């Protein structure tokens, strides 16, 4: 049974870097059959895609966040990570990691972590 | 960038009602559309992929249709467990875009 678990600081100061990790159990981040993504949801608002990373190492980011985002994979720990720099209060949200499949073409996220709340405040 | 517009943003309905949610894409996305259900404090749950394919384990009262730029999610007979928010999502190798969401409330 695949499980995804987000972890990281719940409070980040403005202008600093938000760093989160998604630990994967019951599956491997090395598999070429899947891709991994980050999504966030500000309080009371809808879902916003942050970016995806593929087995090949290719990354694709939301253009509105592209200049501030980095997603990477640590195969030795079976984890993938999100870094978002120069944060402001607008980056306050629940951050979730998710997995999608690559079956010829990509399929949508079918497994999600429970999400972790991040507040940006001094 | 492709924009996804959902309507309505809120929908009030009763148990047993037929409910329809609409999602429009700013340009043709073929059938690369998914629908998710989200309950408060919970992760989204995939309901429909490729516009009309039902995810395993999802009740058959949920159905999706459409292609190109216009899509619909239909719940044939609303059940108490269905009161939640629903999101459409365009997905591709290069990008993902969510609609703004539709909250289905008890009338």
């Amino acid at each position: 049974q695949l499980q995804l678990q987000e972890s990281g600081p719940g409070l980040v100061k403005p202008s600093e870097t938000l760093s989160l990790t998604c630990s994967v159990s019951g599956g491997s981040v090395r598999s070429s059959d899947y891709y991994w993504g980050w999504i966030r949801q500000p309080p009371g608002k809808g879902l916003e895609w942050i970016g995806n990373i593929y087995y090949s190492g290719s990354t694709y980011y939301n253009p509105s966040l592209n200049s501030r985002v980095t997603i990477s994979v640590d195969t030795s720990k079976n984890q993938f990570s999100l870094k978002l720099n120069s944060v402001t209060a607008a980056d306050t949200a629940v951050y979730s990691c998710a997995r999608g499949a690559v079956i010829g073409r990509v399929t949508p996220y079918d497994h999600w972590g429970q999400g972790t709340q991040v507040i940006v405040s001094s | 960038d492709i924009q996804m517009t959902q309507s309505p943003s809120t929908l009030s309905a009763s148990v047993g009602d037929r409910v329809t949610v609409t999602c429009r894409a700013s340009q043709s996305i073929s059938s690369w559309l998914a629908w998710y259900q989200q309950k408060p404090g919970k992760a989204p749950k995939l309901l429909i992929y490729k516009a009309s394919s039902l995810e395993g384990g999802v009740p058959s009262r949920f159905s999706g249709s459409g292609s190109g730029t216009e899509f619909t999610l239909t719940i044939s007979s609303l059940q108490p467990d269905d009161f939640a928010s629903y999101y459409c999502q365009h997905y591709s190798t290069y990008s993902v875009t969510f609609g703004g969401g539709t909250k289905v409330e008890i009338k």
Side-chain angles (χ1 to χ4, degrees):
Chain A
Q1 177 80 0
L2 181 76
Q3 291 191 346
L4 306 174
Q5 179 67 58
E6 305 88 351
S7 60
L11 181 64
V12 181
K13 289 182 168 55
S15 79
E16 295 189 345
T17 297
L18 179 160
S19 295
L20 296 174
T21 296
C22 183
S23 298
V24 179
S25 58
S28 174
V29 296
R30 299 190 207 192
S31 173
S32 60
D33 293 336
Y34 303 106
Y35 68 98
W36 310 91
W38 287 97
I39 304 95
R40 69 181 184 179
Q41 188 167 29
K45 295 188 178 180
L47 301 167
E48 180 181 28
W49 176 64
I50 300 172
N52 291 338
I53 187 164
Y54 288 80
Y55 166 77
S56 62
S58 296
T59 52
Y60 300 94
Y61 301 131
N62 186 324
S64 69
L65 301 171
N66 187 57
S67 62
R68 299 194 291 132
V69 175
T70 302
I71 296 175
S72 60
V73 166
D74 185 338
T75 56
S76 67
K77 296 181 179 178
N78 212 32
Q79 297 173 337
F80 62 105
S81 299
L82 168 70
K83 291 190 186 300
L84 180 66
N85 57 38
S86 305
V87 297
T88 69
D91 295 309
T92 292
V94 172
Y95 285 75
S96 298
C97 57
R99 186 202 79 172
V102 181
I103 307 172
R105 283 200 55 152
V106 298
T107 64
Y109 304 123
D110 58 358
H111 283 83
W112 294 63
Q114 64 185 21
T116 187
Q117 173 77 56
V118 177
I119 296 172
V120 178
S121 175
S122 56
Chain B
D1 301 347
I2 295 173
Q3 309 299 320
M4 305 300 296
T5 304
Q6 263 183 260
S7 61
S9 56
T10 306
L11 186 161
S12 296
S14 301
V15 172
D17 285 353
R18 182 181 181 88
V19 166
T20 299
V21 179
T22 298
C23 183
R24 289 188 174 86
S26 59
Q27 64 190 73
S28 178
I29 58 170
S30 185
S31 297
W32 304 115
L33 186 99
W35 290 97
Y36 292 88
Q37 176 193 68
Q38 187 182 33
K39 296 181 179 179
K42 300 293 186 182
K45 174 186 175 183
L46 179 64
L47 301 175
I48 303 281
Y49 63 96
K50 210 172 178 185
S52 60
S53 295
L54 197 67
E55 177 73 349
V58 174
S60 59
R61 62 181 180 273
F62 292 93
S63 64
S65 65
S67 65
T69 61
E70 297 244 351
F71 303 87
T72 58
L73 170 70
T74 300
I75 308 172
S76 60
S77 177
L78 198 64
Q79 298 302 299
D81 191 48
D82 302 337
F83 291 97
S85 293
Y86 294 84
Y87 293 90
C88 64
Q89 178 209 41
H90 164 56
Y91 58 95
S92 76
T93 300
Y94 310 106
S95 71
V96 170
T97 308
F98 290 96
T102 296
K103 185 175 182 179
V104 177
E105 298 181 329
I106 300 173
K107 193 172 185 178

